[in-house]
Amino acid sequence: MRFVDEFRDPEAARTLAAQIKRTAKDAPPMRFMEVCGGHTMAIHRFGIPHLLPDNIELLSGPGCPVCVTPSTYVDRAIEVARESNERPVTLTTFGDLYRVPGGTESLEDAAGRGLDVRTVYSPRDALKLAADNPQRDIVFLGVGFETTVPTVAATIMEAREQGLGNFRVLSGHKTMPLALRALVEAPEVALDGFLLPGHVSTISGPGPYRFLADEFGIAGCVSGFEPTDILQAILSLAEQVVEQRPAVENRYGRAVRADGNPTAWDVVEAVFQPADSQWRGLGMIADSGLAVRDEWQDHAATPPEPARQSLEHDRCLCAQVLRGIARPTDCALFGTACVPGSPVGPCMVSSEGACAAFHKYGTGHE
Amino acid sequence: MSEERIKLGHGSGGILTRRLIEDTLLRYFRSPRLASLPDSALLELDGGRTAFTTDSYVVDPIFFPGGDIGSLAVFGTVNDLAVVGALPRYISCALMLEEGLPTAELERVLESMRRAAERANVEVVTGDTKVLPRGKADRLFINTAGLGVVPEGKPIPGGRARPGDAIIVSGPVGEHGAAVVSLREGLNLQSSVVSDCAPLTSVAQAVLGAARRVEFMRDLTRGGLATVMNEVTGPDRPGVLLDEARIPVRDEVRSICELLGLEPLYLACEGRLVAVVDPDSADDVLRSLHRIPGAEESRRIGHIVEDYPGRVALRTRLGTRRLLQMLSGEQLPRIC
């Protein structure tokens, strides 16, 4: 399969692994964090940690959009459907969010008792539902980072063009750079480098991460998702650390341009504006979210904040896992009370969560 | 059961299905013949051994490249009989039709069933027809039950796999699942993948004829190769080690999986089986399989190991190792 097999070549991977070993030889321990759910899955699927020397440790950060979405978002989504409008509501969501526990129930539970919840592959599928079902309100649950939000913004524009007033978005969108700032400013996490998100950077470019090197002296490298991509980026991080020249490198040049995709970002800025956002594990981070602008409010779903703050399960370590201060296998619930079929925390629910990756690929048990 | 309601995932063929059967159904049905959850029950009738099975088919869409719900309903039941060592003879056909289903569609499915039954050498001998009000069924559901005879003197599969035993798959995996998902609404995938939907009687007989020991044989359906391999092992049993580079997967299937974030090893097949045989017979089994149309691409893909007790491990192309868990939750809705 072209464009895939080249990047999974065992010989190339072995060569890179040997280079990493040579570079890290005699160096102090290094801790690198990936902040993209796609990286988390790829790292465990391909068994990348087995190829690394003992003094390089990989940690998962807040890179899985579903994982960092607070349970109150699910509660608000269900609240939207409960609102008594003139029109009954259909909730549309990417599959990942379907089983995430809210304060009292998940979307799947709500669907089980009769709420109309549909999983879609694209916000445009939701728009089509709106066109086909004028008697219903179609609410799209907008969760995701820079990668996802341009298509949502474009779909809102399309809805207005087509006069589909029954299409609305409940925005839970977030942007990555300020979350990384919050993470490195917190005292408990000591990191030497970030494997910077590949898809997010196709939109934003690597520029927004420069502060990591400039202000905090932390290495950074944008990475793709195939094994040789990831190994190249880890090699770059190790070199930056050993040579003490932290920077933001881009080893995903076939997809990420220096300025990202300004056209896509213009569409986002036309429809959305920065807003404070609650992150699971990191708390409230100013301006790290995206809210629908006033001019587009007719396509925004705005349920009231739930009166009761729903509590996370008291023994679930998702919040610590998301900050890289606990490994999934440190959690007492992992693999026993919390498994993919009946997850407790979002890191197990999402197919891109660190707990799901550890469980699915048996990391720590191999 | 811990769940208050049935979820889609309970029908996935993975861990939730297993839990529903073991924790709930088996509390009510306690026949010792049912306890090991075989694909078909083996019954002693008039001195001869008879295999008996049933399955329901709810695939969406009902027509897909390489087959349709009709051929699936025949071959699926035939294959459940074949993998216990039986020669399928008779099947039933129970139809649940949605009000408004075009008769032409029904006839297309029936014609496909007729041809499939002919190919698999089984006779449809009884049946039932129900019509449900519009919206209470999705076009057409089929249940088939099947009876087969187990030849005198032939071995039947089953036992305990031992370290060193070879694992053989009868062809490339994941084609049925990939063919169905490529037609899903909204994906607009153009693909040349064709379902592997086919009868496995001669394939199963070839394995049983060539191997000294057959400790396990199952057709790969929902949950795919990874899920079935998890049934080979279990508590207090030796582990399974598969070699990724040796598992046949067509490029088209891999491409669809890459696009959609699916794993071929979890995609359904409808015309492949996996067998665990003694290592000395493995080459004979493969030689025998390679002569059977549809099984030319049979491969030895791994073996039973002392390591990883109770687990299934995969040696990746990069030489690293990771586990293959049972499918948990739902990868695709309604694929068979």
Side-chain angles (χ1 to χ4, degrees):
Chain A
M1 193 175 12
R2 282 186 62 205
F3 307 120
V4 173
D5 289 341
E6 302 89 312
F7 300 100
R8 292 184 188 170
D9 180 43
E11 195 48 47
R14 272 192 289 275
T15 307
L16 283 164
Q19 275 178 278
I20 293 170
K21 275 195 184 113
R22 271 200 304 278
T23 306
K25 194 168 177 287
D26 305 324
M30 300 179 220
R31 290 156 61 88
F32 300 146
M33 176 180 271
E34 88 271 357
V35 284
C36 171
H39 285 155
T40 307
M41 291 315 280
I43 284 168
H44 295 284
R45 176 178 171 196
F46 296 113
I48 300 290
H50 297 275
L51 298 171
L52 301 179
D54 290 341
N55 61 339
I56 294 185
E57 187 186 359
L58 296 182
L59 304 167
S60 299
C64 146
V66 165
C67 304
V68 295
T69 298
S71 57
T72 48
Y73 179 84
V74 175
D75 301 340
R76 290 171 66 218
I78 294 168
E79 196 60 39
V80 171
R82 208 175 279 141
E83 273 175 29
S84 56
N85 320 42
E86 301 123 59
R87 287 187 290 249
V89 172
T90 294
L91 294 179
T92 54
T93 176
F94 293 137
D96 270 14
L97 200 60
Y98 195 60
R99 284 202 292 263
V100 175
T104 47
E105 59 179 351
S106 66
L107 293 171
E108 184 179 40
D109 298 331
R113 57 171 182 77
L115 200 74
D116 190 14
V117 187
R118 316 264 184 99
T119 57
V120 291
Y121 292 99
S122 144
R124 298 194 65 200
D125 294 348
L127 190 65
K128 183 164 182 299
L129 273 176
D132 293 345
N133 298 279
Q135 78 288 2
R136 298 190 74 90
D137 253 0
I138 308 298
V139 175
F140 178 74
L141 303 182
V143 167
F145 298 124
E146 287 89 334
T147 328
T148 334
V149 70
T151 51
V152 178
T155 308
I156 288 178
M157 288 179 164
E158 213 175 330
R160 178 168 291 176
E161 263 168 42
Q162 296 178 17
L164 295 172
N166 62 333
F167 175 81
R168 296 189 289 148
V169 171
L170 177 62
S171 177
H173 289 296
K174 296 179 179 350
T175 51
M176 188 51 84
L178 289 172
L180 295 195
R181 179 177 283 277
L183 199 64
V184 295
E185 281 175 347
E188 75 268 15
V189 196
L191 292 171
D192 301 287
F194 278 102
L195 202 67
L196 294 170
H199 294 143
V200 164
S201 300
T202 59
I203 305 297
S204 69
Y209 302 104
R210 212 150 278 149
F211 73 93
L212 291 168
D214 294 349
E215 293 177 42
F216 298 93
I218 295 176
C221 185
V222 176
S223 172
F225 297 87
E226 299 298 337
T228 55
D229 288 323
I230 294 169
L231 289 167
Q232 274 196 52
I234 291 171
L235 176 61
S236 160
L237 292 176
E239 286 169 352
Q240 292 179 45
V241 171
V242 169
E243 295 163 18
Q244 297 183 320
R245 46 157 192 88
V248 176
E249 293 208 356
N250 178 11
R251 293 288 165 92
Y252 195 28
R254 67 183 187 282
V256 174
R257 292 188 307 222
D259 60 344
N261 183 340
T263 314
W265 201 245
D266 286 348
V267 173
V268 172
E269 292 202 315
V271 177
F272 289 98
Q273 64 190 10
D276 299 351
S277 184
Q278 183 79 31
W279 294 61
R280 199 187 296 244
L282 300 175
M284 183 67 83
I285 302 174
D287 288 337
S288 68
L290 291 168
V292 176
R293 284 184 187 278
D294 290 347
E295 313 83 284
W296 298 91
Q297 274 300 311
D298 50 330
H299 290 292
T302 47
E305 278 294 332
R308 188 177 52 83
Q309 280 292 313
S310 51
L311 294 171
E312 314 292 346
H313 192 288
D314 57 359
R315 287 166 68 207
C316 169
L317 290 188
C318 268
Q320 287 86 332
V321 169
L322 289 167
R323 279 178 288 163
I325 53 178
R327 281 165 68 85
T329 41
D330 296 336
C331 181
L333 307 177
F334 178 84
T336 52
C338 182
V339 290
S342 55
V344 172
C347 303
M348 185 64 89
V349 182
S350 167
S351 61
E352 298 197 330
C355 296
F358 269 62
H359 191 271
K360 179 169 184 187
Y361 298 126
T363 310
H365 295 283
E366 332 64 339
Chain B
M1 198 171 62
S2 56
E3 309 277 355
E4 271 179 36
R5 289 171 198 274
I6 295 299
K7 299 174 173 180
L8 261 184
H10 284 117
S12 67
I15 200 158
L16 285 180
T17 308
R18 188 136 194 120
R19 226 177 277 153
L20 174 67
I21 293 171
E22 287 178 352
D23 300 352
T24 306
L25 273 68
L26 291 187
R27 280 213 321 266
Y28 295 89
F29 305 126
R30 297 181 179 225
S31 165
R33 296 174 208 282
L34 187 57
S36 68
L37 301 176
D39 282 320
S40 295
L42 284 179
L43 313 171
E44 307 286 335
L45 296 178
D46 274 349
R49 277 182 306 183
T50 303
F52 177 45
T53 191
T54 183
D55 209 335
S56 299
Y57 300 85
V58 295
V59 65
D60 172 38
I62 59 178
F63 300 101
F64 48 82
D68 55 65
I69 193 169
S71 54
L72 202 62
V74 173
F75 295 146
T77 292
V78 160
N79 292 346
D80 280 345
L81 294 170
V83 294
V84 301
L87 301 172
R89 285 286 160 78
Y90 303 108
I91 63 168
S92 66
C93 167
L95 300 169
M96 283 141 277
L97 311 175
E98 186 188 14
E99 177 190 16
L101 176 77
T103 315
E105 272 187 24
L106 174 62
E107 290 204 32
R108 204 175 142 195
V109 169
L110 294 175
E111 169 60 15
S112 163
M113 286 186 85
R114 185 190 67 75
R115 264 185 283 141
E118 206 172 277
R119 180 170 165 203
N121 203 17
V122 290
E123 206 178 320
V124 178
V125 290
T126 181
D128 177 53
T129 308
K130 297 280 187 297
V131 177
L132 292 98
R134 196 183 293 272
K136 302 283 182 191
D138 189 0
R139 297 167 81 184
L140 163 64
F141 299 152
I142 303 177
N143 172 277
T144 53
L147 275 179
V149 292
V150 182
E152 281 298 326
K154 270 254 181 137
I156 53 170
R160 275 179 101 86
R162 309 172 198 173
D165 283 356
I167 300 164
I168 288 170
V169 70
S170 69
V173 300
E175 286 162 22
H176 176 70
V180 170
V181 75
S182 68
L183 294 186
R184 278 281 141 71
E185 190 184 1
L187 289 179
N188 290 321
L189 279 181
Q190 291 186 346
S191 147
S192 54
V193 176
V194 173
S195 168
D196 54 356
C197 190
L200 285 169
T201 312
S202 49
V203 179
Q205 288 297 314
V207 173
L208 290 169
R212 221 169 24 190
R213 284 193 286 116
V214 180
E215 302 295 0
F216 179 94
M217 188 154 68
R218 227 160 224 198
D219 54 332
L220 303 178
T221 56
R222 294 165 307 173
L225 177 67
T227 300
V228 167
M229 292 322 299
N230 272 278
E231 290 170 14
V232 173
T233 180
D236 305 322
R237 290 184 181 215
V240 169
L241 180 62
L242 299 182
D243 196 340
E244 186 178 32
R246 301 191 59 81
I247 301 172
V249 184
R250 287 199 207 293
D251 266 0
E252 298 94 306
V253 173
R254 285 180 64 207
S255 306
I256 288 177
C257 285
E258 288 299 326
L259 276 174
L260 300 179
L262 303 172
E263 284 206 56
L265 304 189
Y266 289 91
L267 282 185
C269 310
E270 288 294 343
R272 305 283 181 239
L273 62 75
V274 68
V276 178
V277 304
D278 63 288
D280 297 334
S281 304
D283 288 339
D284 291 340
V285 170
L286 284 173
R287 261 194 297 278
S288 176
L289 286 175
H290 290 158
R291 285 198 290 268
I292 294 175
E296 298 91 340
E297 292 170 79
S298 297
R299 291 281 285 275
R300 181 176 179 161
I301 56 170
H303 58 283
I304 305 297
V305 288
E306 298 271 11
D307 311 343
Y308 308 106
R311 293 176 180 276
V312 180
L314 180 77
R315 185 179 178 276
T316 70
R317 282 195 176 77
L318 299 182
T320 59
R321 291 186 180 191
R322 63 165 163 99
L323 294 187
L324 282 176
Q325 309 273 27
M326 261 182 132
L327 181 65
S328 56
E330 181 69 2
Q331 184 156 277
L332 304 168
R334 285 179 43 196
I335 48 180
C336 55

